[in-house]
Amino acid sequence: MDLLLFVLSGIFVGVLARMIVPGREAGGFVPSIVVGILGALLGGLLGRALGMYAAGQPEGLFMSLGGAVLLLFGYHAAAFRRVV
């Protein structure tokens, strides 16, 4: 059950991150969802490791969103890098 909630929150975070980060998406909507799930994992683990909040607290959503936005910026930088 926890895994299902994690994936659903990752999808939600991915959609929010996609709305925040400007630009064209390479690959469509699926990479945004994957980046959202990975960002939720990264932000959640980092926030709990630093003792910012406990599991299940609403602050985790903001930390997950921050992780997803950072990953999405990195994804855009890597996907749209031009070779000169």
Side-chain angles (χ1 to χ4, degrees):
M1 186 64 166
D2 287 338
L3 182 63
L4 179 64
L5 289 175
F6 175 74
V7 171
L8 289 175
S9 68
I11 291 170
F12 178 70
V13 166
V15 169
L16 285 177
R18 186 65 203 115
M19 290 178 181
I20 292 171
V21 176
R24 198 180 69 142
E25 182 68 42
F29 192 68
V30 174
S32 292
I33 293 172
V34 172
V35 167
I37 292 170
L38 293 175
L41 177 65
L42 175 71
L45 291 176
L46 184 64
R48 280 185 249 144
L50 294 175
M52 299 173 77
Y53 59 90
Q57 290 183 325
E59 292 86 357
L61 179 67
F62 297 111
M63 200 63 181
S64 297
L65 182 60
V69 167
L70 287 175
L71 284 179
L72 199 55
F73 271 123
Y75 175 72
H76 277 221
F80 292 112
R81 183 177 43 190
R82 294 184 183 180
V83 179
V84 179

